[in-house]
Amino acid sequence: MRIHDSLIGVVLLALAAFAAYEAAGFPPMPGQRFGPSLVPNLLAAGFAICGLVLIASGLRCREVAGPVELGAWARKGGHVLDVGLVVGGLVLLILFWKPLGFLIGATLYTAVLAARFRGGRLASSFVVALLACFAIDWGFRRLLLVPLPQGPLTGLYW
Amino acid sequence: MRKTKGSPRHAWTRRTALLAAALGTLVFALANPASAAWPERPITLIVPWAAGGGTDATARIIAKLMEPDLGVPVNVVNRTGGSGVVGHSAIATAPPDGYTIGLITFEIGAMHWQGLTELNWTDYTPIALVNEDPAGVIVRSDSPYKSAKELLDAIRAAPKGKFKASGTAQGGSWHIALGGMLVAAGLPADHVQWVPSTGAATALQDMVAGGVDFVTCSVPEAKALIDAGKVRALALMGKERNATFPDVPTLEEATGIDFQLGAWRGLAGPKGLPEEVTDKLVPLAKKVYDSKEFQDFMASRGFATVYAPPQEFAAFMKARDESTGAVMKGLGLAK
Amino acid sequence: MAAFETALGLVFEPYTLWIMLVSGLFGLFVGAMPGLTATMATALLVPVTFFMPPVPAIAALVTATAMAIFAGDLPGALVRIPGTPASAAYVEDAHRLTREGQAELVLGCGLVFSVIGGIFGSLVLAVSAPILAEFALGFSSFEYFWLALFGLSCAVFISTGRPVKGIVSVLLGLAIATVGIDPTAGHPRFTFGSVELTAGVSFIPAMIGMFAMAEVLRWVTSSRQVEDLAGRQKLGNVFRGQWALLKRYPVNVLRSNIVGTAIGILPGAGADIAAWVTYALSKRFSKEPEKFGKGHIEGVVDAGTANNSALAGAWVPALVFGIPGDTITAIVIGVLFIKGMNPGPMIMLNNPEFLYAIFVIFVLANLLMLPLGWLAIKVFRRILSIPREFLMPLILVACVVGSYAINNSVFGVGIMLVLGVLGWLMEENGFPIAPAILGLVLGEMIESHFMTSMIKADGNLMAFFERPLSAFLGVVTLTVWAWVAIGALRRSATPLPASAGPSTAG
């Protein structure tokens, strides 16, 4: 997804304005004339300058068609769904992290993505996903003591 | 390579739906297993500070010593960041089922005054206080001040902000120690300018490099530099001297100012732990505290051990909370 | 020399050697797992070392960390996930070389030059620890501020494409670093009321997202031609070609050893910063700087050497003054206390045999890396033969676990996702990723040293030039900046090419 330089410039200006606005609300440090707002303000100034440079250079060059130019992939319907699955699946995995647990959530996610990338073949994708995720779950939880949530499987196996 | 045939996509979604339904049933079947006596699964011990620090080390030895009696693993989990806010929140907001406990620290009595969190000591079920390290006053070896009294006199004579000290972040334990000491000496709490640092080691290094006039931190934290002859400890804000450093006087001995402050650590769970859990945990914590392994470990790190059972621990936290709040108002930190 | 003989006896004992072997394998495993750093390897080993005598305990820690730093190169080269932050600087080059069929060369290079760096750092540690530690102790926040700022100017050298986009990228990294409780006043900034955000944006999930997640998205949106990466690799000996590299870049290796060790010795800066700085120096002084970031081995040689030499350097202030040189030695100091080997100058007088044992262990651990690393490469190379349709979802799961593991919080996974999408958009639009990561690494260091210095000086900017060392570093940094700025102005006087930078996918 290509975004026109001028549009990025405008986004950077907005970012600068937001940072400066937020920083204005930070209290000064006791006994000093400056405080936690100093560095954010310096960064906001930097963003503003870069934003202006990008807007100027973007306007000078008119080769790009629109403000946002989607890559060739976006015109193939399938690829948009793929990106949606990768990102949306991850959002679901985060939302259901505790209730589902890592093993179940990650297995479903991997199985669905692998099946999708392989054009079907859900059963074999599921088996591979389950084995791989079980190995990851066991290794991280038992060997490396990372407390991955187990969801409904809690207490059934260690 | 992805094959794009005509029909498989439909089959694919239908099969996904079936699979999801099947798994859903399994999930509900497995949920809510009948409860047995606590503990029946691993316990999580949350540490609000980074792996490798003093609090982390203390938690890990406690976990290790608790495991045999509990019969389940006790996993130490570091939840760091936000000057301790993140970890303390994680302990307080965990379900009070006894499977999540934590090692809470001094900062629980300071953060809420700064407006960083709503949490205070009342959000926890106290189990045991296990340690308190008194603050020390450390200067460079070539510093003109030979005693805490000389230093305080010089601070008193100097204009506000001329002297600069360091030791922790703004509002951290050693900053409160400095402010409290100054108030006890009859000075405004912010008479000495605090230079925040990421920890005692950074502050000491900066002092040796000539950055600040003195550092308030616990004396064991400065041991290596004391041995190297780079720094001197002038006083200790404790009731009695530290056995490892018999030459360092208490603040009262050195200046006549009766003031004590230390960074403490204690075991606690979220508010409302069931009695079934506390009945087992409180005696176990005492047993761990009394064990030779724990005492030896703490001595090897130079950490002072102090024990208080739940009631006293709560009263201790309440008293500390109030005195810390008063100092922080004087420092201009309390909201 | 009696102490030295005792030391040899302590190290060359079956139990110690066995511990080194096991912890070496453990370190390789942890380092190769995304999200689990060398620091994590150390922290996980600490409870185990409680039950060991002092020398095996130290041997376990030294071996595990050295292996972990090298192993971070493996997933970086194979699937573009830097296993540890110390591998992030050159992950782009390493991964592109793999895609060109040079996996053997790049992995072997990581191994051989890690060993060289590790041994150099160990020798420096053994020969001149007390003198160097004394020097490092003279650095106050003023000097650190200039050093960090100098490190940041590396961003200009490592970025590819238009300078303004590189600057935006580095500013973005610095801005992300300001999220959370500010290092001086303790005031929460840009947290939007979230408790998790008070801890700031963790660097590990951010790095995993911007490199690995962005790579997956790029693959998903590409035409997905079958890339037979495994079949394309020249099979054979990973050590082949390494001697030629050493002969081709002798100055680079020497420079990276010295710079890496020096950065390691400075308290607070470790292997990751050493890798970034030497990578930038490598590009600056290279005869072919245009190849950097596009699959060039030179930067891998330099930064791969430096991150391992920094590891040993960090022990210098830790052993002599009990001041940690990096996060790993911060943990090590705790272990030394527990084992009664209290760090400080007295360690020379009280336990000289332990000190010599540490030196011997360092050299031995780095030599052990050759066979173990060779084995690890053999095993990990098989990742390439996993079909991409399976590999990509599994990379995502590895990213998820790695982002979770750093603070045991699903919030890290959210950070990984958001920054992954951001990183992908940035690359599509010609904004380099590496400067943003560098800004994120150095952001807090720069701000806290800047603010502490300002407090000490009561806001007087001239104080940044009052101490002799600080004045020197300041003048050097400003000169470099002025020189870069003049160069950029001269370049922008020439006509501008098309607006967007090189697109990597379309």
Coordinates of all heavy atoms in Angstrom, one line a residue, chain B residues 42-114:
Chain B
P42 N 0.1 -25.2 39.6 CA 1.2 -24.3 39.9 C 0.7 -23.0 40.3 O -0.3 -22.5 39.9 CB 1.9 -24.3 38.6 CG 1.5 -25.5 37.8 CD 0.2 -25.8 38.3
I43 N 1.5 -22.4 41.2 CA 1.2 -21.0 41.8 C 2.2 -20.1 41.1 O 3.3 -20.4 40.8 CB 1.5 -21.0 43.3 CG1 0.4 -21.9 43.9 CG2 1.4 -19.6 43.8 CD1 0.7 -22.2 45.4
T44 N 1.6 -18.9 40.8 CA 2.4 -17.8 40.2 C 2.8 -16.8 41.2 O 2.0 -16.3 42.0 CB 1.6 -17.1 39.1 OG1 1.3 -18.1 38.1 CG2 2.4 -16.0 38.4
L45 N 4.1 -16.5 41.3 CA 4.6 -15.5 42.2 C 5.1 -14.3 41.4 O 6.1 -14.4 40.7 CB 5.7 -16.0 43.1 CG 6.4 -15.1 44.0 CD1 5.4 -14.6 45.1 CD2 7.6 -15.8 44.7
I46 N 4.3 -13.2 41.4 CA 4.6 -12.0 40.6 C 5.6 -11.1 41.2 O 5.5 -10.8 42.4 CB 3.3 -11.3 40.2 CG1 2.4 -12.1 39.4 CG2 3.7 -10.0 39.5 CD1 1.1 -11.4 38.9
V47 N 6.6 -10.7 40.5 CA 7.6 -9.8 40.9 C 7.5 -8.5 40.1 O 7.6 -8.6 38.9 CB 9.0 -10.4 40.8 CG1 10.1 -9.4 41.2 CG2 9.2 -11.6 41.6
P48 N 7.3 -7.3 40.8 CA 7.1 -6.1 40.0 C 8.4 -5.5 39.4 O 8.4 -4.5 38.9 CB 6.5 -5.1 40.9 CG 6.2 -5.9 42.2 CD 7.1 -7.1 42.2
W49 N 9.5 -6.2 39.6 CA 10.8 -5.7 39.2 C 11.5 -6.7 38.3 O 11.1 -7.9 38.3 CB 11.7 -5.3 40.4 CG 10.9 -4.3 41.3 CD1 10.2 -4.6 42.4 CD2 10.7 -2.9 41.1 NE1 9.6 -3.5 42.9 CE2 9.9 -2.5 42.1 CE3 11.1 -2.0 40.1 CZ2 9.5 -1.1 42.2 CZ3 10.7 -0.7 40.2 CH2 9.9 -0.3 41.2
A50 N 12.6 -6.2 37.7 CA 13.2 -7.0 36.6 C 14.0 -8.3 37.2 O 14.4 -8.3 38.3 CB 14.2 -6.2 35.8
A51 N 14.1 -9.2 36.3 CA 14.8 -10.4 36.6 C 16.3 -10.1 36.9 O 16.9 -9.3 36.3 CB 14.8 -11.4 35.4
G52 N 16.8 -10.6 38.0 CA 18.2 -10.4 38.4 C 18.4 -9.4 39.5 O 19.4 -9.3 40.1
G53 N 17.3 -8.5 39.7 CA 17.4 -7.6 40.8 C 17.3 -8.2 42.2 O 17.1 -9.4 42.3
G54 N 17.4 -7.4 43.2 CA 17.3 -7.9 44.6 C 15.9 -8.5 44.9 O 15.8 -9.5 45.5
T55 N 14.8 -7.8 44.4 CA 13.5 -8.3 44.7 C 13.3 -9.6 44.0 O 12.7 -10.6 44.5 CB 12.4 -7.3 44.2 OG1 12.8 -6.0 44.8 CG2 11.1 -7.7 44.7
D56 N 13.8 -9.7 42.7 CA 13.6 -10.9 41.9 C 14.4 -12.1 42.6 O 13.8 -13.2 42.8 CB 14.2 -10.7 40.6 CG 14.2 -11.9 39.7 OD1 13.1 -12.3 39.3 OD2 15.3 -12.5 39.4
A57 N 15.6 -11.8 43.1 CA 16.4 -12.9 43.7 C 15.7 -13.3 45.0 O 15.6 -14.6 45.3 CB 17.8 -12.3 44.1
T58 N 15.1 -12.4 45.8 CA 14.4 -12.8 47.0 C 13.2 -13.6 46.7 O 13.0 -14.7 47.3 CB 13.9 -11.5 47.7 OG1 15.0 -10.6 47.8 CG2 13.4 -11.8 49.1
A59 N 12.5 -13.2 45.6 CA 11.3 -14.0 45.3 C 11.7 -15.4 44.8 O 11.0 -16.4 45.1 CB 10.5 -13.3 44.1
R60 N 12.8 -15.5 44.1 CA 13.1 -16.8 43.5 C 13.6 -17.8 44.7 O 13.2 -19.0 44.6 CB 14.2 -16.7 42.5 CG 13.7 -16.2 41.2 CD 14.7 -16.1 40.1 NE 14.1 -15.2 39.0 CZ 13.4 -15.6 38.0 NH1 13.1 -16.9 37.9 NH2 12.9 -14.8 37.1
I61 N 14.2 -17.3 45.7 CA 14.6 -18.2 46.7 C 13.4 -18.6 47.6 O 13.2 -19.7 48.0 CB 15.8 -17.6 47.6 CG1 16.3 -18.6 48.7 CG2 15.3 -16.3 48.4 CD1 17.4 -19.4 48.1
I62 N 12.5 -17.6 47.8 CA 11.2 -18.0 48.5 C 10.4 -19.0 47.7 O 10.0 -20.0 48.3 CB 10.4 -16.7 48.7 CG1 11.1 -15.8 49.7 CG2 9.0 -17.1 49.2 CD1 10.3 -14.4 49.9
A63 N 10.3 -18.8 46.4 CA 9.6 -19.8 45.6 C 10.2 -21.2 45.7 O 9.5 -22.2 45.9 CB 9.6 -19.3 44.2
K64 N 11.5 -21.2 45.6 CA 12.2 -22.5 45.7 C 12.0 -23.2 47.0 O 11.8 -24.4 47.0 CB 13.7 -22.2 45.5 CG 14.6 -23.4 45.1 CD 14.9 -23.3 43.6 CE 14.5 -24.6 42.9 NZ 14.3 -24.4 41.5
L65 N 12.0 -22.4 48.1 CA 11.9 -23.0 49.4 C 10.4 -23.4 49.7 O 10.1 -24.2 50.6 CB 12.4 -22.1 50.5 CG 13.9 -21.8 50.4 CD1 14.3 -20.7 51.4 CD2 14.7 -23.1 50.6
M66 N 9.4 -22.8 49.0 CA 8.0 -23.1 49.3 C 7.6 -24.3 48.5 O 6.7 -25.0 49.0 CB 7.2 -21.9 48.8 CG 7.0 -20.8 49.8 SD 5.8 -19.6 49.1 CE 5.3 -18.8 50.6
E67 N 8.2 -24.6 47.4 CA 7.8 -25.7 46.5 C 7.6 -27.0 47.2 O 6.6 -27.6 47.1 CB 8.7 -25.8 45.3 CG 8.2 -24.9 44.2 CD 9.2 -25.0 43.0 OE1 10.1 -25.8 43.0 OE2 9.0 -24.2 42.0
P68 N 8.6 -27.5 48.0 CA 8.5 -28.8 48.6 C 7.2 -29.0 49.5 O 6.6 -30.0 49.4 CB 9.8 -29.0 49.4 CG 10.7 -27.9 48.9 CD 9.9 -26.9 48.3
D69 N 6.9 -27.9 50.2 CA 5.8 -28.0 51.1 C 4.4 -27.9 50.4 O 3.5 -28.5 50.8 CB 5.8 -26.9 52.2 CG 6.8 -27.2 53.3 OD1 8.0 -27.4 52.9 OD2 6.4 -27.3 54.4
L70 N 4.4 -27.1 49.3 CA 3.2 -27.0 48.6 C 2.9 -28.1 47.7 O 1.7 -28.4 47.4 CB 3.2 -25.7 47.8 CG 3.1 -24.4 48.6 CD1 3.3 -23.2 47.8 CD2 1.8 -24.3 49.3
G71 N 4.0 -28.8 47.2 CA 3.8 -29.9 46.3 C 3.5 -29.5 44.9 O 3.2 -30.4 44.1
V72 N 3.5 -28.2 44.6 CA 3.3 -27.8 43.2 C 4.4 -26.8 42.9 O 5.0 -26.2 43.8 CB 1.9 -27.1 43.0 CG1 0.8 -28.1 43.2 CG2 1.7 -25.9 43.9
P73 N 4.7 -26.6 41.6 CA 5.7 -25.6 41.3 C 5.2 -24.2 41.6 O 4.0 -23.9 41.6 CB 5.8 -25.7 39.7 CG 5.2 -27.0 39.4 CD 4.2 -27.3 40.4
V74 N 6.2 -23.3 42.1 CA 5.9 -21.9 42.3 C 6.7 -21.2 41.2 O 7.9 -21.1 41.3 CB 6.2 -21.5 43.7 CG1 5.9 -20.0 43.9 CG2 5.5 -22.3 44.7
N75 N 6.0 -20.6 40.2 CA 6.7 -19.9 39.1 C 6.8 -18.5 39.4 O 5.8 -17.8 39.6 CB 5.9 -20.2 37.8 CG 5.8 -21.6 37.5 OD1 6.7 -22.4 37.8 ND2 4.7 -22.0 36.9
V76 N 8.1 -18.0 39.3 CA 8.3 -16.6 39.5 C 8.1 -15.9 38.1 O 8.7 -16.3 37.1 CB 9.7 -16.3 40.0 CG1 10.0 -14.8 40.0 CG2 9.9 -16.9 41.4
V77 N 7.2 -14.9 38.1 CA 6.9 -14.2 36.9 C 7.3 -12.7 37.1 O 6.7 -12.1 38.0 CB 5.4 -14.4 36.5 CG1 5.0 -13.4 35.4 CG2 5.2 -15.8 36.1
N78 N 8.1 -12.2 36.2 CA 8.5 -10.7 36.3 C 7.5 -9.9 35.5 O 7.3 -10.1 34.3 CB 9.9 -10.5 35.8 CG 10.9 -11.3 36.5 OD1 11.2 -12.4 36.1 ND2 11.4 -10.8 37.6
R79 N 6.8 -9.0 36.2 CA 6.0 -8.0 35.4 C 6.6 -6.6 35.7 O 6.2 -6.0 36.7 CB 4.5 -8.1 35.9 CG 3.8 -9.4 35.6 CD 3.7 -9.7 34.1 NE 3.1 -8.6 33.4 CZ 1.8 -8.4 33.3 NH1 0.9 -9.2 33.8 NH2 1.3 -7.3 32.7
T80 N 7.4 -6.2 34.8 CA 8.2 -5.0 35.1 C 7.6 -3.7 34.5 O 6.7 -3.8 33.6 CB 9.6 -5.2 34.6 OG1 9.6 -5.4 33.2 CG2 10.3 -6.3 35.3
G81 N 8.2 -2.6 34.8 CA 7.8 -1.4 34.1 C 7.0 -0.5 34.9 O 6.3 -0.8 35.9
G82 N 6.9 0.8 34.4 CA 6.1 1.8 35.1 C 6.4 2.0 36.5 O 5.6 2.2 37.4
S83 N 7.7 2.0 36.9 CA 8.2 2.2 38.3 C 7.4 1.2 39.2 O 7.1 1.6 40.4 CB 8.0 3.6 38.7 OG 8.6 4.5 37.8
G84 N 7.1 0.1 38.8 CA 6.5 -0.9 39.7 C 5.0 -1.0 39.5 O 4.3 -1.9 40.1
V85 N 4.4 0.0 38.8 CA 2.9 0.1 38.7 C 2.4 -1.2 38.1 O 1.4 -1.8 38.6 CB 2.5 1.3 37.9 CG1 1.0 1.3 37.7 CG2 2.9 2.6 38.6
V86 N 3.0 -1.6 37.0 CA 2.5 -2.8 36.2 C 2.4 -4.0 37.1 O 1.3 -4.7 37.2 CB 3.3 -3.0 35.0 CG1 2.9 -4.2 34.2 CG2 3.2 -1.8 34.1
G87 N 3.5 -4.4 37.8 CA 3.5 -5.6 38.5 C 2.6 -5.5 39.7 O 1.9 -6.5 40.0
H88 N 2.6 -4.4 40.4 CA 1.7 -4.3 41.6 C 0.2 -4.4 41.2 O -0.6 -5.0 41.9 CB 1.9 -2.9 42.3 CG 3.2 -3.0 43.2 ND1 4.4 -2.5 42.9 CD2 3.3 -3.6 44.5 CE1 5.2 -2.7 43.9 NE2 4.6 -3.4 44.8
S89 N -0.1 -3.8 40.0 CA -1.5 -3.9 39.5 C -1.8 -5.4 39.2 O -2.9 -5.9 39.5 CB -1.7 -3.1 38.2 OG -1.4 -1.8 38.4
A90 N -0.9 -6.1 38.6 CA -1.1 -7.5 38.2 C -1.4 -8.3 39.5 O -2.2 -9.2 39.4 CB 0.1 -8.0 37.5
I91 N -0.7 -8.0 40.6 CA -1.0 -8.8 41.8 C -2.4 -8.5 42.3 O -3.2 -9.4 42.7 CB 0.1 -8.5 42.9 CG1 1.5 -8.9 42.3 CG2 -0.2 -9.3 44.1 CD1 2.6 -8.3 43.2
A92 N -2.7 -7.2 42.4 CA -3.9 -6.7 43.0 C -5.1 -7.2 42.2 O -6.2 -7.5 42.8 CB -3.9 -5.2 43.2
T93 N -5.0 -7.2 40.9 CA -6.1 -7.5 40.1 C -6.3 -9.0 39.7 O -7.2 -9.4 39.0 CB -6.1 -6.7 38.7 OG1 -4.9 -7.0 38.1 CG2 -6.2 -5.2 39.0
A94 N -5.3 -9.8 40.2 CA -5.4 -11.3 39.9 C -6.6 -11.8 40.7 O -7.0 -11.3 41.7 CB -4.2 -12.0 40.4
P95 N -7.2 -12.9 40.2 CA -8.3 -13.5 41.0 C -7.8 -14.0 42.3 O -6.8 -14.6 42.4 CB -8.8 -14.7 40.1 CG -7.7 -14.9 39.1 CD -7.0 -13.6 39.0
P96 N -8.5 -13.7 43.4 CA -8.0 -14.0 44.8 C -8.3 -15.5 45.1 O -9.1 -15.9 46.0 CB -8.8 -13.1 45.7 CG -10.1 -12.8 45.0 CD -9.8 -12.9 43.5
D97 N -7.7 -16.4 44.3 CA -7.9 -17.9 44.5 C -6.7 -18.5 45.1 O -6.6 -19.8 45.2 CB -8.3 -18.5 43.2 CG -7.3 -18.2 42.1 OD1 -6.2 -17.6 42.4 OD2 -7.5 -18.5 40.9
G98 N -5.6 -17.7 45.4 CA -4.4 -18.3 45.9 C -3.4 -18.8 44.9 O -2.4 -19.2 45.3
Y99 N -3.8 -18.7 43.6 CA -2.9 -19.2 42.6 C -2.0 -18.1 42.1 O -1.1 -18.3 41.2 CB -3.6 -20.0 41.5 CG -4.2 -21.3 42.0 CD1 -5.5 -21.4 42.3 CD2 -3.3 -22.3 42.2 CE1 -6.0 -22.6 42.8 CE2 -3.8 -23.5 42.7 CZ -5.1 -23.7 43.0 OH -5.6 -24.8 43.5
T100 N -2.3 -16.9 42.5 CA -1.4 -15.8 42.1 C -1.1 -15.0 43.4 O -2.0 -14.5 44.1 CB -2.1 -14.8 41.1 OG1 -2.5 -15.6 40.0 CG2 -1.1 -13.8 40.7
I101 N 0.2 -14.9 43.8 CA 0.6 -14.1 44.9 C 1.7 -13.2 44.4 O 2.1 -13.3 43.2 CB 1.0 -14.9 46.1 CG1 2.1 -15.9 45.7 CG2 -0.2 -15.6 46.7 CD1 2.7 -16.7 46.9
G102 N 2.3 -12.4 45.2 CA 3.3 -11.5 44.7 C 4.2 -11.0 45.8 O 3.9 -11.2 47.0
L103 N 5.4 -10.5 45.4 CA 6.3 -9.9 46.4 C 6.1 -8.4 46.2 O 6.6 -7.8 45.2 CB 7.7 -10.3 46.1 CG 8.7 -10.2 47.3 CD1 8.3 -11.0 48.5 CD2 10.1 -10.5 46.8
I104 N 5.4 -7.7 47.1 CA 5.2 -6.3 47.0 C 6.3 -5.5 47.7 O 6.9 -6.1 48.6 CB 3.8 -5.8 47.4 CG1 3.6 -6.2 48.9 CG2 2.7 -6.5 46.6 CD1 2.3 -5.6 49.5
T105 N 6.5 -4.3 47.3 CA 7.6 -3.5 47.8 C 7.2 -2.1 48.2 O 6.1 -1.7 48.0 CB 8.7 -3.4 46.7 OG1 8.2 -2.7 45.6 CG2 9.3 -4.7 46.2
F106 N 8.2 -1.5 48.8 CA 8.0 -0.1 49.3 C 7.1 0.8 48.4 O 6.3 1.6 48.9 CB 9.4 0.5 49.4 CG 9.5 2.0 49.7 CD1 9.5 2.4 51.1 CD2 9.5 2.9 48.7 CE1 9.5 3.7 51.3 CE2 9.5 4.2 49.0 CZ 9.5 4.7 50.3
E107 N 7.3 0.7 47.1 CA 6.7 1.6 46.2 C 5.2 1.6 46.3 O 4.5 2.5 45.9 CB 7.1 1.2 44.8 CG 8.5 1.8 44.4 CD 9.6 1.0 45.1 OE1 9.4 -0.1 45.7 OE2 10.8 1.5 45.1
I108 N 4.6 0.5 46.8 CA 3.1 0.5 46.9 C 2.6 1.6 47.8 O 1.5 2.1 47.7 CB 2.6 -0.9 47.4 CG1 1.1 -1.0 47.2 CG2 2.9 -1.2 48.9 CD1 0.6 -0.9 45.8
G109 N 3.5 2.1 48.7 CA 3.1 3.2 49.6 C 3.4 4.6 49.0 O 3.3 5.6 49.7
A110 N 4.0 4.6 47.8 CA 4.5 5.9 47.2 C 3.7 6.2 45.9 O 3.4 7.3 45.7 CB 6.0 5.8 47.0
M111 N 3.5 5.2 45.1 CA 3.0 5.4 43.8 C 1.6 6.1 43.7 O 1.4 7.0 42.9 CB 2.8 4.1 43.0 CG 4.0 3.2 43.0 SD 3.7 1.7 42.0 CE 2.4 0.9 42.9
H112 N 0.8 5.8 44.7 CA -0.6 6.4 44.6 C -0.5 7.8 45.0 O -1.4 8.6 44.6 CB -1.6 5.6 45.5 CG -1.4 5.7 46.9 ND1 -2.1 6.5 47.7 CD2 -0.5 5.0 47.8 CE1 -1.7 6.4 49.0 NE2 -0.7 5.5 49.0
W113 N 0.4 8.2 45.8 CA 0.6 9.7 46.1 C 0.9 10.5 44.9 O 0.6 11.6 44.8 CB 1.6 9.9 47.2 CG 1.2 9.3 48.6 CD1 1.8 8.1 49.1 CD2 0.2 9.8 49.5 NE1 1.1 7.9 50.3 CE2 0.2 8.9 50.6 CE3 -0.6 10.8 49.5 CZ2 -0.6 9.0 51.7 CZ3 -1.5 11.0 50.6 CH2 -1.5 10.1 51.6
Q114 N 1.7 9.8 44.0 CA 2.2 10.5 42.8 C 1.1 10.5 41.7 O 1.3 11.1 40.7 CB 3.4 9.8 42.2 CG 4.7 10.4 42.6 CD 5.8 9.7 41.9 OE1 6.0 8.5 42.2 NE2 6.6 10.4 41.1

